[in-house]
Amino acid sequence: MVVGDISTGTDVAVVGAGPGGYVAAIRAGQLGLDVTLVEKDAYGGTCLNYGCIPSKAMITASGVAHEAGHAEEMGVYADPDVDVAEMVDWKDGVVDQLTGGVEKLCKANGVNLIEGRAEFAGSDKLRVVHGGDGQGSETIEYEHAIVSTGSRPIEVPGFDFGDDPVLDSRQALAMAELPSSMVIVGGGYIGMELSTVFAKLGVDVTVVEMLDGILPQYGDDIARPVRQRAEELGIDFHFGLAADSWTDTDDGIVVTAADEDGEETEFETEKVLVAVGRQPVTDTLNLDAVGLEPNDDGRLETDHEARTDVENVFAIGDVAPGPMLAHKASKEGEVAAEVIAGEPAALDYQAVPAAVFTDPEIGTVGLTEDDAAAQGFDPVVGTFPFNASGRALTTGHDDGFVEVVADEESGFLLGAQIVGPEASELVAELGLAIEMGATLEDVASTIHTHPTLSEATMEAAEHALGHAVHTLNR
Ligand SMILES: Cc1cc2nc3c(=O)[nH]c(=O)nc-3n(C[C@H](O)[C@H](O)[C@H](O)COP(=O)(O)OP(=O)(O)OC[C@H]3O[C@@H](n4cnc5c(N)ncnc54)[C@H](O)[C@@H]3O)c2cc1C
Ligand SMILES: NC(=O)c1ccc[n+]([C@@H]2O[C@H](COP(=O)([O-])OP(=O)(O)OC[C@H]3O[C@@H](n4cnc5c(N)ncnc54)[C@H](O)[C@@H]3O)[C@@H](O)[C@H]2O)c1
């Protein structure tokens, strides 16, 4: 136990041990720097403890349960008995295994771990308050600091996450008992991934989305198969409505949402999950002390080296500009550590993939056809539908397609959009192709194992070149 104020010095102080911070710390340790990682809650951050990993575990488990009970077409008749408390225990076990691994890896790479809440205490100084009563605080003097404090869910006014029927994604993923019904406010990443989980587990799910469709960052072609499947699962969608209040009733609660003319619609439900985006955690860091000010989004502006306006302070992950994705946070962490160690490193956002783990999945990387045209390319597009893929048909999941985008003149691959089975995995091959400067010809002439879903990427490239074999050419 640490009591009173002690003072230490370090080359690199990393604040926050999520996929940005712990990767930065490990990389800095590998590069021979003295590094101190401060975490106030749990190693692995939002992603490992409350986000990516728990949600993907529950997506898999609910998918297994649903598939087992819906395989009559394959001659399988089963009525799975789901114990949600055991499912949640299994999910927690997966999380513990991973977070324990992060702690061990940090120690093995010489990272000093400090448990407590850090804030800036002047130029080149952090103050860390340890958890619990009487545990004291310490001051860390640093040469460089990396801010990786992540994000928290945005609250809709009137929907306080502390009030029992109102849940954020963390609380929803920890429920050991399921409600009979749930309204999900927001049809974005979390709304769509978790609506699928709860619908597959038999909850009566309603999604209330402010805009006129789900997953607004993706085009209609990509979102359509996801919405169709969600409707088949019984999810009820209401668009153009913003949730504004809820009240208790004898049987649960009523959530009220209004359209842009103020016309109100009421939804009776047992629980309401609010997933309307996340905001960066920069307001608790006493940034004034170091001369930093967040932008209007609450983020810290950074340059191509992940450096903020203050020379020796870096910002990575959800607190920095760009998509709030774990792999983007980790890459920024590596770059920040390498720059601090004097290595030649810079951020390159040309091929940041994204995946939505819905049913079917979405996987994208690089430019869409419209983006490519806007950037002055002359785009050529090739597609391949999964209902023409032998492997997709043998898995019973043949919704969706692969689309590749390339520059017509040079043939260089510029982007890919996939909706369909294992899209989150398939997109990796095309990300590598873009990074390596591969052409359509390179992808088309690579022999892919048969029968696999990955053949669809080769087929889409062949289609763009005008010599598709298993689908009609343009
Ligand atoms: C339900 C859900 C599912 C998701 N699924 C995916 C997915 O499938 N794929 C994907 O790429 N992304 C996913 N994300 C997003 C992903 O979790 C984030 O982009 C990622 O965690 C960001 O990493 P980070 O290191 O910037 O911050 P975080 O992971 O949020 O970590 C920040 C850490 O900093 C600590 N901290 C904050 N303030 C202080 C302080 N003052 N002192 C000390 N410590 C502090 C916090 O306790 C936390 O541990 C998901 C998010 C959610 C909520
Ligand atoms: N697979 C993944 O990579 C993954 C999964 C989950 C979360 N995430 C990350 O976490 C972030 C947060 O996820 P999210 O789903 O909370 O945000 P989101 O930005 O993806 O979606 C929020 C949705 O809520 C809607 N909305 C906003 N206010 C509303 C209101 N009052 N009533 C009804 N609808 C409203 C928005 O129009 C939007 O469609 C994501 O942006 C993503 O970066 C990633």
Side-chain angles (χ1 to χ4, degrees), residues 348-354 363-367 403-404 413-418 423-438 443 457:
D348 172 8
Y349 295 113
Q350 184 191 207
V352 181
T364 62
V365 65
L367 305 180
E403 177 183 280
V404 293
L413 200 67
L414 300 172
Q417 287 76 49
I418 307 175
S424 60
E425 301 287 343
L426 294 175
V427 78
E429 173 189 345
L430 296 166
L432 179 66
I434 295 171
E435 285 285 352
M436 301 287 293
V443 178
T457 62

Short mmCIF file of all heavy atoms in Angstrom, two decimals, residues 348-354 363-367 403-404 413-418 423-438 443 457:
data_model
loop_
_atom_site.label_atom_id
_atom_site.label_comp_id
_atom_site.label_asym_id
_atom_site.label_seq_id
_atom_site.Cartn_x
_atom_site.Cartn_y
_atom_site.Cartn_z
N ASP A 348 -0.46 6.34 -40.99
CA ASP A 348 -0.92 6.22 -42.37
C ASP A 348 -2.33 5.64 -42.32
O ASP A 348 -2.52 4.49 -41.93
CB ASP A 348 0.03 5.27 -43.12
CG ASP A 348 -0.48 4.92 -44.51
OD1 ASP A 348 -1.47 5.53 -44.94
OD2 ASP A 348 0.11 4.03 -45.15
N TYR A 349 -3.30 6.48 -42.68
CA TYR A 349 -4.70 6.05 -42.55
C TYR A 349 -5.28 5.56 -43.87
O TYR A 349 -6.50 5.50 -44.04
CB TYR A 349 -5.55 7.20 -41.99
CG TYR A 349 -5.18 7.57 -40.58
CD1 TYR A 349 -4.60 8.79 -40.28
CD2 TYR A 349 -5.38 6.66 -39.55
CE1 TYR A 349 -4.25 9.11 -38.98
CE2 TYR A 349 -5.04 6.98 -38.24
CZ TYR A 349 -4.48 8.20 -37.97
OH TYR A 349 -4.13 8.51 -36.68
N GLN A 350 -4.39 5.20 -44.82
CA GLN A 350 -4.86 4.79 -46.15
C GLN A 350 -5.74 3.53 -46.08
O GLN A 350 -6.71 3.41 -46.82
CB GLN A 350 -3.63 4.49 -47.02
CG GLN A 350 -3.99 4.15 -48.42
CD GLN A 350 -2.82 3.59 -49.22
OE1 GLN A 350 -2.82 3.73 -50.40
NE2 GLN A 350 -1.85 2.96 -48.60
N ALA A 351 -5.38 2.61 -45.23
CA ALA A 351 -6.09 1.33 -45.23
C ALA A 351 -6.47 0.89 -43.82
O ALA A 351 -6.07 -0.17 -43.35
CB ALA A 351 -5.23 0.27 -45.92
N VAL A 352 -7.25 1.73 -43.11
CA VAL A 352 -7.75 1.34 -41.79
C VAL A 352 -9.03 0.53 -42.01
O VAL A 352 -10.03 1.07 -42.50
CB VAL A 352 -8.07 2.57 -40.90
CG1 VAL A 352 -8.57 2.11 -39.53
CG2 VAL A 352 -6.87 3.48 -40.77
N PRO A 353 -9.03 -0.76 -41.67
CA PRO A 353 -10.26 -1.52 -41.87
C PRO A 353 -11.28 -1.22 -40.77
O PRO A 353 -10.94 -0.70 -39.72
CB PRO A 353 -9.79 -2.97 -41.78
CG PRO A 353 -8.56 -2.92 -40.94
CD PRO A 353 -7.95 -1.56 -41.10
N ALA A 354 -12.53 -1.55 -41.05
CA ALA A 354 -13.59 -1.46 -40.03
C ALA A 354 -14.50 -2.67 -40.23
O ALA A 354 -14.67 -3.13 -41.36
CB ALA A 354 -14.38 -0.17 -40.19
N GLY A 363 -17.47 -5.65 -43.53
CA GLY A 363 -16.03 -5.40 -43.43
C GLY A 363 -15.65 -4.43 -44.54
O GLY A 363 -15.99 -4.67 -45.70
N THR A 364 -14.99 -3.33 -44.18
CA THR A 364 -14.61 -2.36 -45.21
C THR A 364 -13.17 -1.92 -45.00
O THR A 364 -12.64 -1.98 -43.90
CB THR A 364 -15.51 -1.10 -45.18
OG1 THR A 364 -15.34 -0.47 -43.92
CG2 THR A 364 -16.96 -1.43 -45.38
N VAL A 365 -12.56 -1.49 -46.09
CA VAL A 365 -11.20 -0.92 -46.01
C VAL A 365 -10.98 0.00 -47.20
O VAL A 365 -11.52 -0.27 -48.29
CB VAL A 365 -10.14 -2.05 -45.95
CG1 VAL A 365 -10.09 -2.88 -47.20
CG2 VAL A 365 -8.74 -1.49 -45.63
N GLY A 366 -10.24 1.06 -46.98
CA GLY A 366 -9.90 1.96 -48.09
C GLY A 366 -11.10 2.75 -48.60
O GLY A 366 -12.04 3.05 -47.86
N LEU A 367 -11.07 3.05 -49.90
CA LEU A 367 -12.04 3.97 -50.49
C LEU A 367 -13.26 3.26 -51.07
O LEU A 367 -13.15 2.17 -51.62
CB LEU A 367 -11.37 4.77 -51.62
CG LEU A 367 -10.11 5.55 -51.28
CD1 LEU A 367 -9.57 6.29 -52.51
CD2 LEU A 367 -10.37 6.55 -50.16
N GLU A 403 -17.30 -6.28 -52.81
CA GLU A 403 -17.11 -5.26 -53.84
C GLU A 403 -15.68 -4.75 -53.73
O GLU A 403 -15.24 -4.39 -52.63
CB GLU A 403 -18.08 -4.10 -53.63
CG GLU A 403 -17.89 -2.98 -54.64
CD GLU A 403 -18.82 -1.81 -54.37
OE1 GLU A 403 -20.00 -1.87 -54.75
OE2 GLU A 403 -18.35 -0.81 -53.77
N VAL A 404 -14.95 -4.75 -54.84
CA VAL A 404 -13.60 -4.16 -54.82
C VAL A 404 -13.62 -2.91 -55.71
O VAL A 404 -14.34 -2.85 -56.71
CB VAL A 404 -12.52 -5.14 -55.32
CG1 VAL A 404 -12.34 -6.30 -54.35
CG2 VAL A 404 -12.80 -5.65 -56.72
N LEU A 413 -5.52 -1.39 -56.43
CA LEU A 413 -6.68 -1.58 -55.57
C LEU A 413 -6.78 -0.38 -54.62
O LEU A 413 -5.77 0.02 -54.01
CB LEU A 413 -6.47 -2.87 -54.77
CG LEU A 413 -7.73 -3.48 -54.19
CD1 LEU A 413 -8.63 -3.97 -55.31
CD2 LEU A 413 -7.36 -4.63 -53.26
N LEU A 414 -7.99 0.18 -54.47
CA LEU A 414 -8.17 1.37 -53.63
C LEU A 414 -9.04 1.09 -52.41
O LEU A 414 -8.93 1.78 -51.39
CB LEU A 414 -8.83 2.49 -54.45
CG LEU A 414 -8.07 2.97 -55.69
CD1 LEU A 414 -8.94 3.93 -56.50
CD2 LEU A 414 -6.76 3.65 -55.28
N GLY A 415 -9.93 0.11 -52.54
CA GLY A 415 -10.83 -0.14 -51.41
C GLY A 415 -11.65 -1.39 -51.61
O GLY A 415 -11.67 -1.98 -52.70
N ALA A 416 -12.31 -1.81 -50.52
CA ALA A 416 -13.20 -2.97 -50.60
C ALA A 416 -14.32 -2.79 -49.59
O ALA A 416 -14.09 -2.27 -48.48
CB ALA A 416 -12.42 -4.24 -50.30
N GLN A 417 -15.52 -3.19 -49.99
CA GLN A 417 -16.67 -3.20 -49.08
C GLN A 417 -17.27 -4.60 -49.14
O GLN A 417 -17.58 -5.08 -50.24
CB GLN A 417 -17.76 -2.20 -49.50
CG GLN A 417 -17.40 -0.74 -49.25
CD GLN A 417 -16.42 -0.20 -50.27
OE1 GLN A 417 -16.64 -0.36 -51.46
NE2 GLN A 417 -15.35 0.42 -49.83
N ILE A 418 -17.39 -5.20 -48.00
CA ILE A 418 -17.94 -6.56 -47.96
C ILE A 418 -19.10 -6.59 -46.98
O ILE A 418 -18.99 -6.04 -45.88
CB ILE A 418 -16.86 -7.58 -47.49
CG1 ILE A 418 -15.59 -7.45 -48.35
CG2 ILE A 418 -17.39 -9.01 -47.55
CD1 ILE A 418 -14.43 -8.32 -47.89
N ALA A 423 -17.15 -11.39 -43.12
CA ALA A 423 -16.64 -10.17 -43.78
C ALA A 423 -15.51 -9.54 -42.97
O ALA A 423 -14.57 -8.98 -43.53
CB ALA A 423 -17.77 -9.17 -43.98
N SER A 424 -15.60 -9.65 -41.62
CA SER A 424 -14.57 -9.05 -40.77
C SER A 424 -13.21 -9.70 -41.01
O SER A 424 -12.18 -9.07 -40.83
CB SER A 424 -14.95 -9.18 -39.29
OG SER A 424 -15.08 -10.55 -38.95
N GLU A 425 -13.20 -10.98 -41.37
CA GLU A 425 -11.93 -11.68 -41.65
C GLU A 425 -11.50 -11.45 -43.11
O GLU A 425 -10.33 -11.23 -43.39
CB GLU A 425 -12.10 -13.19 -41.43
CG GLU A 425 -12.52 -13.59 -40.02
CD GLU A 425 -11.39 -13.42 -39.01
OE1 GLU A 425 -10.23 -13.33 -39.41
OE2 GLU A 425 -11.70 -13.38 -37.79
N LEU A 426 -12.47 -11.51 -44.02
CA LEU A 426 -12.13 -11.43 -45.45
C LEU A 426 -11.48 -10.10 -45.82
O LEU A 426 -10.66 -10.03 -46.74
CB LEU A 426 -13.40 -11.62 -46.29
CG LEU A 426 -14.03 -13.01 -46.21
CD1 LEU A 426 -15.34 -13.03 -46.98
CD2 LEU A 426 -13.08 -14.07 -46.74
N VAL A 427 -11.86 -9.05 -45.10
CA VAL A 427 -11.38 -7.72 -45.46
C VAL A 427 -9.86 -7.60 -45.24
O VAL A 427 -9.21 -6.75 -45.87
CB VAL A 427 -12.19 -6.65 -44.68
CG1 VAL A 427 -11.73 -6.52 -43.24
CG2 VAL A 427 -12.16 -5.32 -45.39
N ALA A 428 -9.29 -8.48 -44.39
CA ALA A 428 -7.86 -8.38 -44.08
C ALA A 428 -7.01 -8.59 -45.33
O ALA A 428 -6.00 -7.90 -45.54
CB ALA A 428 -7.47 -9.39 -43.00
N GLU A 429 -7.40 -9.55 -46.17
CA GLU A 429 -6.61 -9.81 -47.39
C GLU A 429 -6.57 -8.56 -48.27
O GLU A 429 -5.52 -8.20 -48.83
CB GLU A 429 -7.26 -10.96 -48.17
CG GLU A 429 -6.61 -11.17 -49.53
CD GLU A 429 -7.36 -12.17 -50.43
OE1 GLU A 429 -8.22 -12.92 -49.93
OE2 GLU A 429 -7.07 -12.16 -51.63
N LEU A 430 -7.70 -7.88 -48.35
CA LEU A 430 -7.75 -6.72 -49.25
C LEU A 430 -7.04 -5.51 -48.63
O LEU A 430 -6.48 -4.68 -49.35
CB LEU A 430 -9.20 -6.44 -49.64
CG LEU A 430 -9.77 -7.63 -50.45
CD1 LEU A 430 -11.27 -7.56 -50.56
CD2 LEU A 430 -9.13 -7.71 -51.83
N GLY A 431 -7.03 -5.44 -47.29
CA GLY A 431 -6.25 -4.41 -46.61
C GLY A 431 -4.77 -4.58 -46.91
O GLY A 431 -4.06 -3.62 -47.23
N LEU A 432 -4.30 -5.82 -46.84
CA LEU A 432 -2.89 -6.11 -47.15
C LEU A 432 -2.60 -5.76 -48.61
O LEU A 432 -1.57 -5.15 -48.92
CB LEU A 432 -2.59 -7.59 -46.90
CG LEU A 432 -1.17 -8.03 -47.21
CD1 LEU A 432 -0.16 -7.38 -46.27
CD2 LEU A 432 -1.02 -9.56 -47.13
N ALA A 433 -3.53 -6.12 -49.49
CA ALA A 433 -3.33 -5.83 -50.92
C ALA A 433 -3.17 -4.32 -51.14
O ALA A 433 -2.29 -3.88 -51.88
CB ALA A 433 -4.52 -6.38 -51.72
N ILE A 434 -4.01 -3.53 -50.45
CA ILE A 434 -3.92 -2.06 -50.62
C ILE A 434 -2.58 -1.57 -50.07
O ILE A 434 -1.87 -0.79 -50.71
CB ILE A 434 -5.11 -1.35 -49.92
CG1 ILE A 434 -6.42 -1.73 -50.61
CG2 ILE A 434 -4.91 0.17 -49.93
CD1 ILE A 434 -7.67 -1.28 -49.88
N GLU A 435 -2.21 -2.04 -48.86
CA GLU A 435 -0.94 -1.63 -48.24
C GLU A 435 0.25 -1.96 -49.14
O GLU A 435 1.24 -1.23 -49.20
CB GLU A 435 -0.73 -2.34 -46.90
CG GLU A 435 -1.57 -1.79 -45.77
CD GLU A 435 -1.07 -0.46 -45.24
OE1 GLU A 435 0.01 -0.01 -45.64
OE2 GLU A 435 -1.81 0.16 -44.44
N MET A 436 0.19 -3.13 -49.83
CA MET A 436 1.31 -3.59 -50.66
C MET A 436 1.30 -2.97 -52.05
O MET A 436 2.14 -3.28 -52.88
CB MET A 436 1.26 -5.11 -50.82
CG MET A 436 1.32 -5.90 -49.53
SD MET A 436 2.94 -5.91 -48.79
CE MET A 436 3.88 -6.84 -49.95
N GLY A 437 0.28 -2.15 -52.35
CA GLY A 437 0.18 -1.56 -53.68
C GLY A 437 -0.17 -2.59 -54.74
O GLY A 437 0.27 -2.50 -55.90
N ALA A 438 -1.00 -3.57 -54.35
CA ALA A 438 -1.38 -4.62 -55.30
C ALA A 438 -2.41 -4.10 -56.31
O ALA A 438 -3.14 -3.14 -56.05
CB ALA A 438 -1.97 -5.81 -54.54
N VAL A 443 -4.65 -9.64 -57.28
CA VAL A 443 -5.66 -10.35 -56.47
C VAL A 443 -6.31 -11.45 -57.31
O VAL A 443 -6.50 -12.59 -56.85
CB VAL A 443 -6.73 -9.36 -55.94
CG1 VAL A 443 -7.81 -10.10 -55.15
CG2 VAL A 443 -6.09 -8.28 -55.08
N THR A 457 -13.18 -12.76 -53.01
CA THR A 457 -12.38 -11.56 -53.27
C THR A 457 -11.71 -11.68 -54.64
O THR A 457 -11.66 -10.71 -55.41
CB THR A 457 -11.32 -11.35 -52.17
OG1 THR A 457 -10.43 -12.46 -52.17
CG2 THR A 457 -11.92 -11.22 -50.81
#
